[in-house]
Amino acid sequence: MKISLILPVYNEQAILGEVLQKYLTELREIAKGIGGAYELIAINDGCTDASLEIMKKEAKLDRNFRIVNFDTRYGKQSAITAGFEAARGDIVILADVDLLNPIGVLEKVLLEFFDGHDIVYAYRESIGFERTKRNMSHRVVSFATRFFGVDGAYMGKANVMLFSRDIADILKEVPEKNKFMRTMDNWVGYEIKTIEYASGYSAPEIKQKVSDASRTAKQNGMKPAFRSTAREHTPSRVYGWALLLLSIMFLPIWIFVGIQYDVMFVWHIVALIVLGTLIFSSILFFIRALMIKRIGIIYNQTQDLIYKVESVINNYKEKY
């Protein structure tokens, strides 16, 4: 039995070395334990930093580490498609270059596979308000994707996903250029098993790791655009800045009303502002859902191909 791990990579030099070491270490231990084989397929999605050099270094040390180089950037969905095309394993696992995924997460999803599940979604555990935000975002975006006509059920952003060979072949053969895997997984008709796992780090350790990675990125002249927590940074930051801007815009009104009118009227104004903020937040989530549906089309308006492979490193063929 062979395990294939697909890893889309785009400008991750600040954390790539550490993440690759963790994944490769666990894959070796798992392969040894089940008496099988493994491969890690990294998709170089047009990296412009030192990510490719880091990957080449690992490829020289481990012939089971394969690199698929795109000739330019095509986007994560295209990288995933290329990974499914390249994967030769009986089990296919898809993961992010994620700083907080601990050693042991691959074993957790594999245990679910051996328990009879063909598709497994693994979510890193969130606690407190982070969990509340994730659940709210998931419900709103799920509704919005249905509203905008995305096929399948939106399952949210999983940190690690596992597919049996049969499922991987189905997803690989789907002819659409503009694929969105997080609904296609559900569309194929198989039950999806969901599990949670802890990051393996305490809150101070997480803060320190993110800080160290940010510093490394800045020292190399790169933006720290890596995924360091369970949530997507860009939509969250847009959401936060938009709410802050909205609050600042209403600040003069608060001051004026407080001076001119009684306190009860001020509270009515505050209630209206809260209601407006909620409506504004909902609009942002709908825009995000619309982008989810349309981003692939944007990528492919100027090209006929989903992706073009420039070269493959460690592209060996083996007999079973």
Side-chain angles (χ1 to χ4, degrees):
M1 178 172 288
K2 185 170 185 176
I3 302 167
S4 296
L5 175 62
I6 301 170
L7 210 64
V9 180
Y10 177 70
N11 289 355
E12 305 279 9
Q13 71 174 39
I15 60 172
L16 185 58
E18 179 181 345
V19 172
L20 289 178
Q21 284 298 319
K22 287 197 292 187
Y23 282 138
L24 286 168
T25 297
E26 186 171 5
L27 283 171
R28 290 170 188 140
E29 289 300 317
I30 291 172
K32 186 186 301 183
I34 65 175
Y38 72 91
E39 62 179 0
L40 195 159
I41 305 170
I43 313 298
N44 172 25
D45 188 20
C47 293
T48 56
D49 64 355
S51 294
L52 181 57
E53 285 67 32
I54 295 171
M55 289 188 282
K56 285 181 177 179
K57 183 178 178 181
E58 292 295 335
K60 290 179 180 179
L61 300 174
D62 190 339
R63 68 188 298 268
N64 296 309
F65 181 79
R66 302 169 59 201
I67 306 170
V68 176
N69 286 308
F70 285 174
D71 64 341
T72 185
R73 190 183 182 193
Y74 288 91
K76 185 176 180 180
Q77 299 302 315
S78 294
I80 292 172
T81 303
F84 277 115
E85 290 282 355
R88 304 179 180 129
D90 305 289
I91 304 168
V92 179
I93 302 175
L94 174 64
D96 286 331
V97 179
D98 197 317
L99 187 68
L100 303 183
N101 276 348
I103 291 179
V105 63
L106 302 183
E107 181 180 1
K108 287 182 180 294
V109 295
L110 282 167
L111 287 175
E112 296 297 334
F113 170 79
F114 290 124
D115 199 34
H117 300 284
D118 288 283
I119 306 177
V120 182
Y121 270 43
Y123 300 90
R124 191 167 51 246
E125 185 180 31
S126 299
I127 58 176
F129 187 57
E130 285 294 325
R131 175 183 288 272
T132 302
K133 285 199 301 182
R134 189 188 73 179
N135 290 340
M136 288 177 61
S137 175
H138 175 78
R139 289 188 177 94
V140 172
V141 178
S142 294
F143 173 76
T145 49
R146 291 196 299 272
F147 180 83
F148 286 115
V150 178
D151 290 336
Y154 177 75
M155 296 300 296
K157 181 186 182 299
N159 300 94
V160 179
M161 292 176 282
L162 176 146
F163 308 93
S164 67
R165 180 73 261 175
D166 290 341
I167 302 298
D169 287 340
I170 292 172
L171 295 175
K172 182 177 67 174
E173 295 302 324
V174 172
E176 283 83 359
K177 290 183 178 180
N178 308 304
K179 300 179 181 180
F180 182 43
M181 289 294 178
R182 277 181 276 159
T183 60
M184 287 174 58
D185 302 341
N186 183 274
W187 167 81
V188 297
Y190 285 68
E191 178 187 358
I192 297 178
K193 173 67 175 181
T194 60
I195 61 172
E196 278 192 333
Y197 63 94
S199 71
Y201 302 103
S202 65
E205 288 173 332
I206 291 173
K207 185 176 180 180
Q208 186 61 48
K209 279 186 170 291
V210 173
S211 176
D212 292 343
S214 298
R215 190 182 305 110
T216 301
K218 290 177 181 178
Q219 288 173 351
N220 289 277
M222 303 300 297
K223 294 181 179 179
F226 50 87
R227 288 166 292 278
S228 58
T229 66
R231 62 190 173 91
E232 296 280 356
H233 280 273
T234 301
S236 299
R237 285 176 178 170
V238 170
Y239 174 75
W241 280 110
L243 291 183
L244 178 61
L245 180 61
L246 190 64
S247 300
I248 293 173
M249 289 171 59
F250 276 102
L251 186 59
I253 299 177
W254 294 344
I255 296 172
F256 175 78
V257 171
I259 294 173
Q260 297 293 325
Y261 299 95
D262 58 28
V263 175
M264 186 57 69
F265 186 77
V266 172
W267 278 112
H268 288 166
I269 294 295
V270 171
L272 287 174
I273 291 172
V274 171
L275 179 61
T277 301
L278 291 174
I279 295 173
F280 184 67
S281 302
S282 300
I283 292 173
L284 282 182
F285 277 123
F286 272 93
I287 292 174
R288 181 181 175 188
L290 182 60
M291 290 176 65
I292 286 173
K293 177 174 174 59
R294 297 299 179 187
I295 192 68
I297 296 175
I298 293 171
Y299 271 125
N300 285 283
Q301 280 179 343
T302 58
Q303 59 195 30
D304 296 326
L305 300 175
I306 302 176
Y307 62 85
K308 182 179 179 181
V309 175
E310 185 177 78
S311 63
V312 180
I313 298 174
N314 282 350
N315 190 27
Y316 60 88
K317 294 184 178 180
E318 59 185 343
K319 296 180 180 179
Y320 293 95

